[in-house]
Amino acid sequence: MPSLQEGAAGGSILERGNISIRQFAILSALFVIGDTILYVPASVARQSMHNAWISGLVAMAAGLCIAALFGLLVKRFPGMTLIDIGRQTLGSWLGTAVGIVFVMFFLIDSGTVLWEVGDFMVTHTMPETPIQSFLILFMLVVVMGFRLGIGTVVRSAEILFFWVIVLFFLLVMLLTPEMDTKRMLPLYQSSPNPVLRGALLLTGYYFESVILIMVMPAIRGNRGIVRSYLAGTAIGSFILTLTVLMCILVLGAPLTEMQLFTTYVLAKKISIGSFLERIEVVMASIWYFTLFFKLYVCYYATVVGTSQLLKIKDYKLLSLPLAVIVVVTSLLVVPNIAYFSLTIQKYWWAYTATLGFILPLLLLGAGLFRKKEAPKGGKKRNRHIPNTNSGQERGQETK
């Protein structure tokens, strides 16, 4: 049975001590890969063409810097969610307002990822089935995992992560005969702007990693969290960069930018003799695994954040109502594939940079400012106000 303790600031009962540092690194890697491995190669290639792999390297460096920033935030506020951090640094009213903004971010991200699952299934697997069927069925699996507890889900992540790595590198090896380094030429461009624009699109997905802070109370201990954050981001970003490179080497930049599900097209290129062909559905299991864990984390953050804002002690009471809201949100946020391609993919980086970078940076700055101001306030209080703490308060201070 998972151990449950009451959250310090939100009043929600959160699962604590159910995730090890290694499990968190695996969960971070799966989250970073998520839906990015399906959609981003085409978007990056559309901006930087044959130099898309260079954009991947630049974005990898930016992603590690972003993870380091989030690591500092976690180290400054150990065992706290973004809702707790907002209330502690900005006060009750403003912190609650920021918490609402974060929860809306989690909800929209959940709906977008869920829609991507349904769109992939309708496009390539069962085109005659309504997309709503896939959204509901996949969401039910996520709710089932949520009600079993995050400890159960991360243990399954350990097992499935092994198969994700095996299948991915099997994909790389089987595509080696199809690779041609001439498709990377010319390496030189007169302006770095296309490479930077492609890197910015990919970096926009790394900003989403701020959602992982909502999982922090479930981690056992505080030592090594920053390293695991960086390790998970490094593994995930390496796989994404290698995927972009494979797309350029196998398909070339013009064909890569024309495909929506570029990595699925890559799997179709596998042909060894006349007996190993048409295994793209097997390779698609990589994306089902990574999409599930990213959606799970986004949905987990939505439920826990909402329970903290509403001060509901048993957050599992919200699991089914919020699952219905996520399904509806997925259909409202992404009405069709044209809107997704022309609007969401194009401007997603600006949206995530605002909520996943600027806002956490402000929280970190506010926390550092309050830390500097605390000694002055403490001296004033001791000088003018006598110590009238009750025995319970003194016991809490001792703890």
Side-chain angles (χ1 to χ4, degrees):
M1 292 289 294
S3 61
L4 300 177
Q5 296 180 5
E6 188 171 350
S12 298
I13 297 179
L14 303 178
E15 297 180 57
R16 296 183 182 271
N18 289 336
I19 303 178
S20 67
I21 295 298
R22 180 170 58 88
Q23 289 171 336
F24 178 70
I26 291 173
L27 189 65
S28 300
L30 291 171
F31 183 90
V32 169
I33 298 169
D35 57 331
T36 315
I37 195 172
L38 269 178
Y39 291 94
V40 166
S43 301
V44 177
R46 197 171 295 120
Q47 297 295 328
S48 48
M49 296 302 289
H50 52 273
N51 288 326
W53 62 278
I54 302 178
S55 297
L57 291 175
V58 175
M60 181 191 296
L64 291 174
C65 294
I66 293 166
L69 171 66
F70 296 157
L72 288 176
L73 189 62
V74 170
K75 192 173 181 180
R76 176 70 182 84
F77 304 97
M80 299 177 66
T81 65
L82 288 168
I83 311 301
D84 299 331
I85 296 172
R87 284 173 169 170
Q88 180 162 325
T89 57
L90 302 176
S92 178
W93 288 98
L94 186 56
T96 300
V98 170
I100 293 173
V101 173
F102 272 126
V103 170
M104 292 301 299
F105 174 47
F106 306 152
L107 178 62
I108 292 173
D109 210 347
S110 301
T112 305
V113 175
L114 180 62
W115 180 89
E116 290 169 346
V117 175
D119 181 60
F120 178 75
M121 294 292 292
V122 168
T123 304
H124 288 288
T125 307
M126 301 174 68
E128 296 181 358
T129 306
I131 189 173
Q132 293 85 351
S133 303
F134 296 115
L135 301 182
I136 294 171
L137 289 174
F138 202 83
M139 198 65 217
L140 285 175
V141 176
V142 174
V143 172
M144 186 184 302
F146 179 82
R147 296 187 71 85
L148 288 173
I150 193 170
T152 303
V153 173
V154 295
R155 284 192 291 273
S156 67
E158 288 186 279
I159 300 171
L160 296 176
F161 181 70
F162 170 77
W163 289 108
V164 168
I165 298 299
V166 168
L167 289 173
F168 178 76
F169 282 101
L170 181 62
L171 177 67
V172 174
M173 289 187 293
L174 293 177
L175 285 174
T176 301
E178 303 289 332
M179 295 181 183
D180 186 359
T181 55
K182 292 181 181 179
R183 296 189 177 102
M184 299 170 60
L185 301 176
L187 293 177
Y188 174 76
Q189 283 187 328
S190 57
S191 172
N193 291 338
V195 172
L196 295 178
R197 285 198 300 267
L200 188 60
L201 285 176
L202 183 52
T203 305
Y205 288 86
Y206 295 145
F207 291 136
E208 295 178 72
S209 298
V210 72
I211 301 177
L212 289 166
I213 296 179
M214 296 297 293
V215 183
M216 292 302 168
I219 300 177
R220 288 195 293 270
N222 297 319
R223 299 183 61 181
I225 289 181
V226 178
R227 289 196 302 272
S228 64
Y229 220 136
L230 290 171
T233 303
I235 294 170
S237 58
F238 173 76
I239 290 176
L240 292 176
T241 303
L242 187 56
T243 301
V244 174
L245 178 61
M246 279 197 306
C247 291
I248 300 300
L249 291 175
V250 176
L251 301 176
L255 187 57
T256 298
E257 68 167 317
M258 291 173 58
Q259 302 295 329
L260 184 60
F261 304 100
T262 315
T263 47
Y264 189 77
V265 177
L266 275 181
K268 286 185 176 182
K269 290 286 185 177
I270 296 175
S271 178
I272 307 297
S274 58
F275 65 96
L276 189 60
E277 294 181 334
R278 304 295 298 178
I279 63 170
E280 59 269 12
V281 176
V282 178
M283 293 299 174
S285 58
I286 298 175
W287 312 308
Y288 295 138
F289 294 154
T290 58
L291 282 166
F292 169 79
F293 287 108
K294 181 168 185 177
L295 177 57
Y296 176 84
V297 172
C298 294
Y299 172 70
Y300 178 90
T302 303
V303 177
V304 170
T306 304
S307 69
Q308 288 189 299
L309 289 174
L310 300 178
K311 298 184 179 180
I312 297 175
K313 292 186 176 181
D314 188 359
Y315 64 92
K316 289 185 179 180
L317 293 174
L318 298 173
S319 58
L320 285 177
L322 284 177
V324 175
I325 294 175
V326 170
V327 173
V328 175
T329 301
S330 67
L331 296 172
L332 293 177
V333 173
V334 192
N336 51 58
I337 187 62
Y339 182 84
F340 179 80
S341 301
L342 297 177
T343 304
I344 292 184
Q345 281 193 311
K346 188 175 181 180
Y347 300 108
W348 187 253
W349 68 269
Y351 173 67
T352 56
T354 303
L355 299 178
F357 178 69
I358 296 177
L359 203 52
L361 192 63
L362 290 175
L363 292 179
L364 181 61
L368 294 175
F369 178 77
R370 286 177 68 92
K371 184 178 180 181
K372 290 180 180 179
E373 291 293 318
K376 292 183 180 180
K379 288 180 181 178
K380 269 187 176 181
R381 183 183 184 280
N382 291 335
R383 184 177 302 161
H384 299 289
I385 302 176
N387 188 1
T388 59
N389 286 342
S390 65
Q392 183 180 359
E393 291 173 338
R394 285 195 296 270
Q396 289 177 353
E397 290 177 358
T398 304
K399 290 180 183 179

